[in-house]
Amino acid sequence: MEFNPDTLEASAIYKLLTGSVIPRPIGWISTIDQNGINNLAPFSYFNILGDDPPHVMFSTRRDNNTNKDTLNNVFNNKQFVVNMVTEELVEPMNATAQSVPSEVDEFELVGLTPLPSTLIKPNRVKESPITFECEMVHHYFLENTKAGGACVVIGRVIMMHIDESVLLDNYKINMETYKPVARLAGANYTKIGEVFSIKRT
C-alpha cells in the first residue's frame, strides 16, 4: 500500500513512522528554568549527529503551537543534559513523560537525585550511568501542518559522564552492565537482544 502523508491524519502518520523506525534511543532531557526549577522529560526523537565535534539532537512536538517546558528552558539558557535510560530507570523515565505544571520538579516527582553538572546549569540524573552536558548550537522549527509541528534542537556535547560500572578498556561501553532501553511503538520498549557482528569489506 502507498500512503501520502499530506492526506493522512496526524495519528496515522505517527503510528506508521514510530512503528517502522525502530528501535529508537531515548533522550531523557533535563533542563532548568529561570527560577531554578528542574525539568525532566523523555524524547524518542533523539540521536547522535557526529563525533568531531560531538553533537546530539532531539525533537519535541509543539501541540497547539505551544512549546513544552523543555524547549522553553533550552531557549532560555541554551543548555540541556542527556541522561541515558537503562532497564532500572524505565519506570521513572515513563513517569516523567506525563504532563505536569511547569512549577513541578520531575526529579522530586519520581524520586530521582539531581546531580550538579560540571559546566552547565541543568542538573544530571545521578541514577543514570551515562550523561552528556550539552549546549544548544542550533534549532529548527518543522512546518506546522497537522498537530502543531515540532522543533529540532541540536546540541554540542561539552562534557561526558560515564560511570565506571559501564566502562571497558579503550573507552568501550559494556552492554552487559549498561543495559540500555530503546523505544518501539505505542507503549512498547525493548532491551538489547541478540548481537551479531559483520566486518566491513
Side-chain angles (χ1 to χ4, degrees):
M1 298 182 68
E2 295 181 341
F3 299 99
N4 185 335
D6 290 339
T7 61
L8 282 179
E9 294 183 357
S11 61
I13 297 172
Y14 175 80
K15 291 175 184 177
L16 291 171
L17 286 177
T18 60
S20 300
V21 184
I22 56 174
R24 300 187 306 281
I26 303 167
W28 203 11
I29 308 297
S30 54
T31 58
I32 195 167
D33 73 8
Q34 56 190 3
N35 297 315
I37 299 175
N38 293 313
N39 178 267
L40 181 63
F43 297 87
S44 66
Y45 295 161
F46 162 79
N47 220 314
I48 56 173
L49 290 177
D51 59 273
D52 183 22
H55 282 76
V56 296
M57 65 74 61
F58 73 93
S59 178
T60 171
R61 292 165 54 107
R62 298 185 65 252
D63 297 329
N64 299 316
N65 293 311
T66 302
N67 292 344
K68 293 181 180 293
D69 292 338
T70 297
L71 189 57
N72 284 331
N73 293 343
V74 172
F75 283 171
N76 181 56
N77 58 29
K78 308 296 189 293
Q79 299 174 340
F80 63 93
V81 177
V82 174
N83 307 274
M84 300 309 296
V85 179
T86 63
E87 294 178 22
E88 295 181 351
L89 294 172
V90 168
E91 291 298 332
M93 177 277 298
N94 186 54
T96 60
Q98 62 185 297
S99 296
V100 296
S102 300
E103 60 269 19
V104 173
D105 183 326
E106 280 88 354
F107 281 81
E108 294 181 1
L109 182 67
V110 301
L112 292 169
T113 310
L115 192 65
S117 292
T118 303
L119 300 176
I120 62 176
K121 293 180 180 179
N123 290 300
R124 300 181 286 127
V125 174
K126 180 180 180 181
E127 291 78 5
S128 175
I130 298 178
T131 60
F132 303 136
E133 298 181 28
C134 304
E135 289 186 338
M136 186 183 77
V137 296
H138 187 66
H139 73 277
Y140 178 77
F141 286 100
L142 303 182
E143 183 181 358
N144 173 14
T145 59
K146 295 285 184 181
C151 183
V152 178
V153 175
I154 297 174
R156 179 168 181 165
V157 179
I158 60 173
M159 183 63 69
M160 298 185 287
H161 302 269
I162 314 292
D163 192 272
E164 291 183 0
S165 65
V166 300
L167 192 61
L168 295 172
D169 293 338
N170 198 28
Y171 306 102
K172 294 182 179 179
I173 302 298
N174 187 337
M175 290 295 105
E176 294 183 1
T177 56
Y178 179 21
K179 298 181 179 179
V181 170
R183 190 80 159 85
L184 297 176
N188 297 318
Y189 293 81
T190 185
K191 305 174 184 179
I192 294 293
E194 179 183 356
V195 177
F196 63 93
S197 301
I198 301 178
K199 292 184 177 180
R200 292 186 179 183
T201 56

